Amino acid sequence: MSTTVDNPIERSIRAGLTKELAPVHLEVVNESYMHNVPKGSETHFKVLVVSQQFDGQPLIKRHRMVNEIVKNHLAGDFVHALSIVAKTPQQWDEAYKLEPSPNCKGGFGK
């Protein structure tokens, strides 16, 4: 796995979520390698963010907050897929492991 220095989109996602949500825990995982995209692509991400700002917010609002932050911080860069796990610190369990997404089946009915 590459470092965020080599991954400008991952770095933008991480910076935006850190700035806007002040997370107590944040994971940004580039899962593009699991899909039919060129090597080094940044198109498929999974995000785990734990923030006090989610307190009292339904899950759909949490996801909308994350999507809006990502959209604004990418400034036109394209992300095809964004999987979100958004928890409050009270819901967070440090033993939780972010599971990888299932392997891509190739799309277009393949």
Side-chain angles (χ1 to χ4, degrees):
M1 186 179 300
S2 301
T3 65
T4 57
V5 173
D6 299 331
N7 302 315
I9 294 177
E10 179 181 341
R11 189 173 58 245
S12 291
I13 292 170
R14 188 176 299 280
L17 294 174
T18 298
K19 179 182 176 188
E20 303 289 331
L21 295 176
V24 296
H25 184 85
L26 175 64
E27 295 179 41
V28 179
V29 180
N30 182 350
E31 295 187 326
S32 301
Y33 70 93
M34 299 168 64
H35 300 273
N36 188 20
V37 296
K39 186 174 181 172
S41 292
E42 292 186 279
T43 56
H44 296 72
F45 287 91
K46 183 171 275 192
V47 170
L48 166 61
V49 59
V50 181
S51 174
Q52 193 63 49
Q53 291 191 37
F54 295 144
D55 192 36
Q57 299 294 326
L59 190 57
I60 188 72
K61 282 195 173 189
R62 297 176 191 187
H63 283 220
R64 286 179 180 153
M65 288 170 68
V66 171
N67 275 313
E68 190 67 19
I69 291 166
V70 168
K71 180 180 87 171
N72 290 338
H73 280 80
L74 289 182
D77 284 328
F78 176 73
V79 172
H80 177 73
L82 180 65
S83 173
I84 301 168
V85 178
K87 296 184 177 287
T88 67
Q90 296 76 23
Q91 295 171 322
W92 174 238
D93 177 358
E94 290 186 26
Y96 178 82
K97 299 291 183 213
L98 197 58
E99 296 291 327
S101 297
N103 286 333
C104 180
K105 300 207 188 276
F108 302 106
K110 292 182 183 177

